[in-house]
């Protein structure tokens, strides 16, 4: 199993490093454009949530991202140093009262762009699985 890891301080501008990390993974693992687009959006959303909501943009706290590849599965694991959250009771961004709200779509996007999304450690860890081939 191939595993690659990166850790960044919780600053929004560090999303660029995550994008480069995903670009490098696309080249290394020869990912096709469709899955690459889904990965880019879902993983950057997860890291952005970890920075903003998990670590409260505290630059002394880090977000860890690891990528592991086994057979036809590529898994991204995002971990923050925050208190976690109740991922079982999230507002539905597609319900009429939430359509005009500017946020609240990150996890919705992750669930629709990934093949599997798993939360662990009280929401401090999210795994995004994508099937390739």
């Amino acid at each position: 199993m191939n595993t690659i890891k990166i850790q960044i301080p919780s600053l929004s501008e560090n999303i660029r490093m995550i994008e480069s990390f995903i670009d490098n993974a696309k080249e290394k693992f020869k990912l096709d454009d469709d899955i690459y687009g889904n990965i880019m959006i879902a993983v950057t959303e997860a890291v952005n949530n970890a920075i903003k909501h998990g670590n409260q943009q505290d630059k002394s706290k880090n977000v860890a991202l690891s990528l592991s590849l086994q057979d036809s599965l590529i898994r991204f694991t995002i971990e923050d140093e925050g208190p976690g959250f109740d991922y079982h009771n999230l507002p539905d961004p597609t319900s009429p009262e939430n359509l005009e709200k500017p946020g609240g779509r990150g996890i919705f996007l992750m669930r629709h762009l990934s093949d599997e999304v798993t939360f662990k450690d009280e929401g401090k860890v999210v795994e995004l699985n994508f099937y390739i081939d």
Side-chain angles (χ1 to χ4, degrees):
M1 172 171 41
N2 285 316
T3 302
I4 307 168
K5 297 180 181 192
I6 185 175
Q7 188 165 292
I8 60 165
S10 294
L11 297 165
S12 293
E13 57 264 27
N14 287 339
I15 291 292
R16 287 192 298 264
M17 291 194 298
I18 301 303
E19 291 168 347
S20 294
F21 180 87
I22 296 167
D23 286 340
N24 291 337
K26 179 188 193 287
E27 297 301 316
K28 181 176 173 110
F29 302 118
K30 301 189 179 9
L31 302 174
D32 71 46
D33 287 342
D34 288 342
I35 195 163
Y36 164 75
N38 288 354
I39 288 170
M40 181 64 79
I41 294 168
V43 172
T44 55
E45 275 296 330
V47 171
N48 207 34
N49 281 354
I51 290 171
K52 285 184 175 172
H53 304 294
N55 290 342
Q56 303 290 308
Q57 296 184 309
D58 179 347
K59 64 183 180 228
S60 71
K61 293 181 177 180
N62 292 315
V63 175
L65 170 63
S66 68
L67 172 165
S68 58
L69 181 72
Q70 54 189 127
D71 300 325
S72 60
L73 174 74
I74 187 166
R75 171 178 293 147
F76 291 85
T77 304
I78 301 93
E79 184 171 0
D80 65 54
E81 298 176 8
F85 72 104
D86 183 2
Y87 50 88
H88 296 291
N89 294 305
L90 296 169
D92 178 358
T94 64
S95 64
E97 68 273 13
N98 293 328
L99 288 176
E100 300 295 320
K101 291 184 179 174
R105 290 172 185 77
I107 292 173
F108 177 81
L109 282 170
M110 286 184 254
R111 286 186 169 139
H112 282 80
L113 296 173
S114 308
D115 292 306
E116 295 171 343
V117 178
T118 307
F119 293 99
K120 297 181 174 177
D121 196 11
E122 299 171 348
K124 292 183 265 190
V125 176
V126 61
E127 287 180 353
L128 304 174
N129 293 334
F130 300 87
Y131 294 107
I132 50 179
D133 294 334

